[in-house]
Amino acid sequence: MSGFQIGKDILSYVAVGDSFTEGLDDPYPDSADFPSGRYRGWADRFAEHLARHVGELRYANLAVRGKLLRQILTEQLPRAVELSPDLVTLCAGGNDILRPGSDPDALADAFESGVRRLRDTGADVVVFTGFDTGFQPVMKHLRGKVATYNMHLRAIADRHGCAVVDLWSMKIFQDRRAWSADRLHLSAEGHRRLALRVCEVLGVPAEGDWDEPWPQLPPSPWRQARQEDLRWAREHLVPWIGRRLTGRSSGDGLAPKRPHLEPLVRR
């Protein structure tokens, strides 16, 4: 990235994407400042780190859970371009990859069109590869498709001068404590660590080590592990499949949590 720098009097940052960037499952505590049901996530956490090193950080988060790549490009990208920020984080395509018949080559072509539009505004752009799904039995079969998409994303980043946050190489995400109960979204600790990794990629000082080893846990008994798998399938997998079959999305009717560039209060 050529132009991004901290220490400015005013810096603007826009986050674009789906549930990953909206912040599921990292809820803010109930309070007057953070209404129940609003998620924090790595993007908010990264913005908090960034705000400590600029005179004023103006931050918008346009991400909405469940959105496909084409929806992000048509619903969020025009708004991001209109805001003309200094920095944009873009993660999109994960929900498409989960769907049978999706083509990572075609997805990459569409993704590049979005990157090009953002870079034409003069914004620095950060892109994210997909996670390595090899450790998740239910999604292990998607590993080749994710890897193909990742190679495209890296090439796109090279062509357009974007920074890359390589989620595939982050082995800490192969621990179940990095994930929430639905096994699709990061836990609060997963989001915290990812925010630190984004800081590292962009050269933003932050306390903490995203790659700190997880404390040792005793192995779960076989019966307990199978019971947890059954509970997960009943409470999370079956509803997810139901939404896919009926064409519904978890984000239907939802608006972005931070649609405007607004000053972020330092904490």
Side-chain angles (χ1 to χ4, degrees):
M1 298 174 71
S2 58
F4 181 74
Q5 56 181 306
I6 60 176
K8 288 186 173 183
D9 290 335
I10 299 175
L11 190 144
S12 55
Y13 162 44
V14 174
V16 176
D18 51 29
S19 59
F20 170 74
T21 302
E22 184 186 347
L24 277 69
D25 278 319
D26 180 18
Y28 277 107
D30 291 336
S31 72
D33 293 332
F34 303 115
S36 177
R38 179 179 157 188
Y39 290 95
R40 188 182 189 186
W42 68 263
D44 283 20
R45 290 172 179 270
F46 165 66
E48 291 161 11
H49 287 299
L50 186 56
R52 300 187 184 106
H53 302 284
V54 298
E56 177 179 288
L57 177 68
R58 296 173 181 172
Y59 169 49
N61 189 318
L62 309 179
V64 175
R65 69 197 73 173
K67 294 300 182 181
L68 299 171
L69 175 59
R70 61 176 174 78
Q71 295 172 312
I72 291 170
L73 295 178
T74 58
E75 298 170 11
Q76 298 178 30
L77 255 291
R79 177 58 175 161
V81 169
E82 178 186 5
L83 292 172
S84 190
D86 299 299
L87 176 68
V88 179
T89 53
L90 173 62
C91 185
N95 288 322
D96 301 81
I97 293 291
L98 290 173
R99 298 192 173 206
S102 59
D103 179 358
D105 299 328
L107 288 173
D109 288 341
F111 188 95
E112 184 163 18
S113 71
V115 170
R116 186 179 297 110
R117 290 170 64 189
L118 291 170
R119 289 292 283 149
D120 284 347
T121 70
D124 284 305
V125 177
V126 183
V127 302
F128 295 72
T129 69
F131 293 100
D132 183 353
T133 61
F135 73 102
Q136 294 182 323
V138 175
M139 292 193 289
K140 189 174 183 178
H141 68 286
L142 296 172
R143 196 169 189 241
K145 188 187 291 189
V146 176
T148 299
Y149 190 48
N150 284 353
M151 293 302 291
H152 281 301
L153 295 180
R154 283 192 163 278
I156 291 168
D158 285 345
R159 285 195 290 271
H160 296 279
C162 303
V164 177
V165 178
D166 184 13
L167 301 177
W168 181 282
S169 67
M170 296 177 69
K171 301 304 182 184
I172 60 159
F173 290 128
Q174 296 182 12
D175 188 289
R176 67 178 183 268
R177 286 167 288 185
W179 300 90
S180 67
D182 69 5
R183 304 183 185 180
L184 290 172
H185 300 103
L186 294 177
S187 64
E189 177 62 12
H191 280 287
R192 186 190 73 82
R193 288 174 179 250
L194 180 53
L196 291 174
R197 175 61 176 144
V198 178
C199 286
E200 181 179 81
V201 169
L202 292 180
V204 177
E207 293 185 7
D209 178 10
W210 65 266
D211 202 21
E212 180 181 359
W214 295 94
Q216 283 292 114
L217 282 179
S220 298
W222 183 89
R223 182 181 296 276
Q224 178 183 337
R226 298 295 76 74
Q227 289 175 340
E228 291 174 355
D229 289 342
L230 290 173
R231 186 183 308 112
W232 168 77
R234 181 176 65 252
E235 296 179 1
H236 301 287
L237 180 61
V238 171
W240 183 85
I241 292 174
R243 289 195 298 271
R244 299 288 80 74
L245 293 175
T246 58
R248 293 178 291 120
S249 168
S250 58
D252 288 345
L254 293 181
K257 64 180 183 181
R258 289 182 67 101
H260 309 291
L261 277 175
E262 298 175 333
L264 188 71
V265 177
R266 296 181 185 180
R267 296 186 180 278

